[in-house]
Amino acid sequence: MAVTQQLARISVEYLADCRQSASESPDGDPHWDPQPADVLDLDWAPILLERACELAGLDDVHLNALRQATDGDSAIDLGFLNRHPHAIGPFGPAPTALSAAQAAHVCELLVHMNMPAILAALPADHTQAASLIGYGADKIAGDPRRYLLKHFNALREFYLGASQRHLLIVIWWD
């Protein structure tokens, strides 16, 4: 099974409940189980999206927002989600999160990104576009632009939902 990037939209209260469960459980089980509708699997799209945006010359403000959307921030302590045997992301870096305010800010910037225009800067030939992007884009079946647009739209919609509901975002690789 491939390791892919996962995101979850959760409330501060849910995070606090998980933290409390982990501290009270003899084996540190946080009972982490976000609602399926509030979980997004971004596959391997984050690095490919970032690279496509770099190639298109996206400005630093929006490029940093994209990075923050997929990298998170280490300010929120999620160590309790990263403990064996209940680690949510045992194959990647430690889970990170964005507060509801950070998620809303990132959402605002993602909403204003014109991803079709960014992807139009790539070569029209699928093989050439994938070669230019690198990072395994050549393994994508079909048009890498379609793959990236699908995942970017999912990411933007996910953040829009978090922003509208004042939820924070937890990010990990699983």
Side-chain angles (χ1 to χ4, degrees):
M1 175 190 274
V3 177
T4 61
Q5 188 171 58
Q6 307 291 310
L7 292 87
R9 297 181 288 218
I10 61 170
S11 68
V12 172
E13 294 81 14
Y14 181 77
L15 187 62
D17 288 347
C18 288
R19 184 176 280 116
Q20 182 174 350
S21 292
S23 70
E24 292 174 354
S25 171
D27 66 351
D29 187 353
H31 298 285
W32 173 258
D33 190 22
Q35 294 296 313
D38 285 320
V39 175
L40 175 64
D41 183 340
L42 274 184
D43 198 40
W44 281 95
I47 189 69
L48 304 178
L49 284 167
E50 182 179 335
R51 178 69 177 138
C53 289
E54 289 171 349
L55 291 168
L58 183 65
D59 65 273
D60 287 343
V61 170
H62 288 90
L63 187 56
N64 288 333
L66 178 64
R67 286 180 183 135
Q68 191 174 24
T70 58
D71 292 345
D73 187 324
S74 60
I76 298 174
D77 177 23
L78 298 177
F80 67 95
L81 291 176
N82 203 32
R83 292 194 189 115
H84 181 74
H86 303 287
I88 66 170
F91 305 111
T96 59
L98 294 177
S99 69
Q102 288 173 308
H105 177 71
V106 165
C107 176
E108 182 65 28
L109 293 167
L110 292 177
V111 165
H112 290 99
M113 288 176 60
N114 185 347
M115 190 54 68
I118 290 166
L119 296 174
L122 294 171
D125 179 76
H126 303 332
T127 305
Q128 290 176 354
S131 177
L132 190 59
I133 293 168
Y135 298 99
D138 60 330
K139 305 280 190 284
I140 296 169
D143 186 354
R145 287 178 297 274
R146 186 173 310 149
Y147 171 88
L148 293 175
L149 184 60
K150 172 186 166 191
H151 285 82
F152 177 79
N153 287 341
L155 179 68
R156 182 171 48 196
E157 290 301 314
F158 194 78
Y159 269 87
L160 187 57
S163 178
Q164 291 169 340
R165 294 166 49 205
H166 308 286
L167 299 175
L168 59 89
I169 304 280
V170 174
I171 303 164
W172 72 100
W173 287 87
D174 186 24

